[in-house]
Amino acid sequence: MILPIRKYPDKILRTPAKDVAFPLSKEIKKLTKDMIDTVRKADGIGLAAPQVGKSVKVIVVDLEKNNLPVFVLYNPRIVKRSFKKIALEEGCLSIPGVFGIVKRPKKVTIEVRNEKGEKICFTDDGWIARIIQHEIDHINGVLIIDHIRKYTKGEEIVKGLKEKKCI
Ligand SMILES: [Zn+2]
């Protein structure tokens, strides 16, 4: 089932998400499946549960276009970050039309739980690291507009939304 994507300035995008419990409930299993359908339909790469209105630590990363399986991350957290940072352009399904340069650590080690609740650690220094850092921000209530120093597209959209929020 495809879920509607929450858009900034929806408050749920600013609410830190809660851990999921194991064994996984029927609701979380259904949410995971729906999130995979939703990220595919939206032509996105990553999606975090707050973006579909659920304040839980579930992230899906769809790399099918690169012939890789869908990654599902439960309760992910960054346990190690490289000192070296790189600046790349990012966008977000929850802030359509807005793009900007975001600086993040190049290499990160991430600890996650799989669907059985087993702890898994992995390290990446490529674009998977980048996507997952963006999605982990979502479960902590952080958005790209908090990081962007230079907009490449849509700065006026963000300004307009901010003004609306203050009324
Ligand atoms: Zn996003």
Side-chain angles (χ1 to χ4, degrees):
M1 194 174 89
I2 291 153
L3 305 169
I5 294 177
R6 301 292 185 96
K7 307 275 164 40
Y8 176 80
D10 191 315
K11 282 199 176 76
I12 198 146
L13 296 171
R14 291 304 198 181
T15 308
K18 293 192 170 61
D19 280 339
V20 298
F22 293 94
L24 292 177
S25 65
K26 258 187 200 162
E27 288 74 21
I28 295 293
K29 284 182 186 167
K30 171 88 167 70
L31 172 67
T32 306
K33 204 179 155 291
D34 290 345
M35 283 173 65
I36 294 169
D37 292 344
T38 305
V39 75
R40 282 187 179 152
K41 171 78 180 164
D43 208 18
I45 303 167
L47 188 70
Q51 293 182 277
V52 291
K54 304 286 178 198
S55 210
V56 286
K57 292 183 185 173
V58 181
I59 287 170
V60 299
V61 178
D62 181 21
L63 301 166
E64 262 206 335
K65 283 177 197 147
N66 301 79
N67 294 315
L68 287 166
V70 175
F71 286 136
V72 180
L73 291 76
Y74 296 105
N75 303 345
R77 64 188 191 101
I78 298 167
V79 290
K80 207 172 160 193
R81 296 170 172 83
S82 64
F83 182 71
K84 191 180 174 189
K85 290 185 176 180
I86 47 168
L88 287 171
E89 186 182 52
E90 287 188 28
C92 180
L93 291 174
S94 292
I95 318 172
V98 175
F99 294 87
I101 305 299
V102 177
K103 217 175 185 185
R104 299 189 189 271
K106 180 165 172 30
K107 188 173 171 181
V108 286
T109 300
I110 296 148
E111 183 195 283
V112 304
R113 302 273 175 172
N114 67 11
E115 72 284 355
K116 292 176 192 156
E118 296 160 342
K119 202 182 269 183
I120 294 165
C121 265
F122 63 94
T123 301
D124 189 64
D125 64 354
W127 51 276
I128 291 176
R130 171 64 55 154
I131 296 159
I132 292 176
Q133 287 181 80
H134 176 119
E135 301 307 333
I136 288 179
D137 269 358
H138 274 302
I139 61 173
N140 292 321
V142 176
L143 297 169
I144 53 169
I145 51 173
D146 306 333
H147 295 296
I148 294 172
R149 286 191 203 145
K150 187 174 173 279
Y151 284 91
T152 46
K153 207 179 159 192
E155 185 172 6
E156 70 291 347
I157 298 174
V158 178
K159 280 183 179 160
L161 290 169
K162 270 185 184 160
E163 281 162 24
K164 219 187 277 171
K165 198 182 167 188
C166 295
I167 293 167

